[in-house]
Amino acid sequence: MTKAFVFGATGYTGREVVASLRRRGIATLAHLRPDSSERTRWIEHFTSRGAQVDSSPWELEALTETLRAHAPTHVFALLGTTKKRAARELQGIADPYEAVDYGLSHLLLQAALGSGHKPHVTYLSALGVREGTKNPYLRARARIEKELEESGLPQLIARPAFVTGEDREEKRPAERAAATLFDGSLKALAALGMRRPFEAYASLSGKALGEALVHLALAPDSPRIADARCLRQAALR
């Protein structure tokens, strides 16, 4: 029986992954931070869609036991933060990308390895990730990609470009404006017959990305690394 565990379920992409899994009738457990200020809202949101909610603390022993008990066949690691959110929620943390984007994903990977099962892990990374990068955001994700590759677990690493849309609750006007401008330029090139840049770099909505991640995670012949072009094609299937 296919069973999914979604970490980062309340994020823009995470809630769409949960919705996509439930549309396919897959038993889904959505992880919710135990200290979430919107706990009641998210419990109602997920349970109304037929998903279960888990609030295991971010501690290795607790997460390992949770994954051992629920034995998911698929784990979605969709964790991340922004400087703005970190300033609001992670006061005193010098490097939020190290603490969240790397730290929590590393903890989750260790829990999966220690659970006694070998779940398929879908990791939401980003375009431009490579070893040796000096960008702190990309560097954190490069470390997780390497650890995941060395883990031996079945895996999918997704590297989208911009992920944005008008339905995003957390407003990011600068990011939205940049994506709109960038997409406009790519569409102009596509109109001139140059579609490859659009397919490779145009933004995806949370819903499109969620559909793509679920489709690729469940498909038996998916690549280990999915770039923006692959994700766009998967979202349309």
Side-chain angles (χ1 to χ4, degrees):
M1 175 182 176
T2 302
K3 184 187 297 185
F5 207 140
V6 182
F7 290 85
T10 62
Y12 180 49
T13 302
R15 59 180 180 266
E16 296 295 348
V17 166
V18 172
S20 181
L21 288 164
R22 290 303 304 142
R23 282 194 292 271
R24 289 167 167 79
I26 295 172
T28 304
L29 197 57
H31 185 262
L32 177 64
R33 280 172 39 194
D35 62 343
S36 173
S37 60
E38 298 184 278
R39 179 180 177 83
T40 300
R41 172 202 170 194
W42 285 116
I43 289 176
E44 292 176 352
H45 174 89
F46 291 126
T47 56
S48 69
R49 287 156 176 76
Q52 294 181 291
V53 175
D54 173 74
S55 297
S56 297
W58 283 106
E59 299 170 358
L60 181 57
E61 184 175 351
L63 281 180
T64 302
E65 182 54 37
T66 294
L67 292 178
R68 181 180 295 122
H70 289 279
T73 57
H74 291 72
V75 169
F76 290 82
L78 314 175
L79 305 159
T81 191
T82 63
K83 288 185 177 180
K84 182 177 179 180
R85 189 192 311 162
R88 183 175 66 247
E89 300 177 357
L90 301 174
Q91 297 181 8
I93 301 296
D95 187 343
Y97 299 130
E98 177 71 17
V100 177
D101 295 55
Y102 172 75
L104 295 187
S105 297
H106 170 78
L107 189 64
L108 175 57
L109 179 56
Q110 293 305 304
L113 288 169
S115 68
H117 309 292
K118 293 191 68 175
H120 179 283
V121 177
T122 296
Y123 174 58
L124 182 55
S125 190
L127 178 72
V129 167
R130 66 184 188 282
E131 285 193 68
T133 178
K134 296 186 181 303
N135 181 296
Y137 172 78
L138 297 177
R139 184 170 62 240
R141 293 177 180 274
R143 291 176 66 192
I144 289 297
E145 284 195 16
K146 184 176 181 181
E147 289 183 10
L148 185 55
E149 180 181 2
E150 295 173 347
S151 72
L153 295 174
Q155 61 197 253
L156 168 68
I157 294 173
R159 294 176 178 170
F162 283 110
V163 183
T164 187
E166 294 180 357
D167 58 338
R168 188 163 203 158
E169 290 187 358
E170 183 185 11
K171 302 304 179 184
R172 301 182 182 180
E175 179 182 287
R176 181 67 180 150
T180 300
L181 180 62
F182 194 52
D183 284 351
S185 300
L186 294 174
K187 287 178 181 178
L189 290 175
L192 295 173
M194 294 179 282
R195 289 198 54 82
R196 288 182 64 85
F198 177 83
E199 293 172 354
Y201 301 114
S203 66
L204 286 169
S205 68
K207 183 174 182 179
L209 181 55
E211 284 289 338
L213 292 177
V214 173
H215 173 83
L216 291 171
L218 300 178
D221 57 350
S222 293
R224 191 181 74 85
I225 297 178
D227 61 13
R229 181 183 291 108
C230 178
L231 293 167
R232 187 177 309 284
Q233 292 172 345
L236 296 174
R237 293 180 183 178

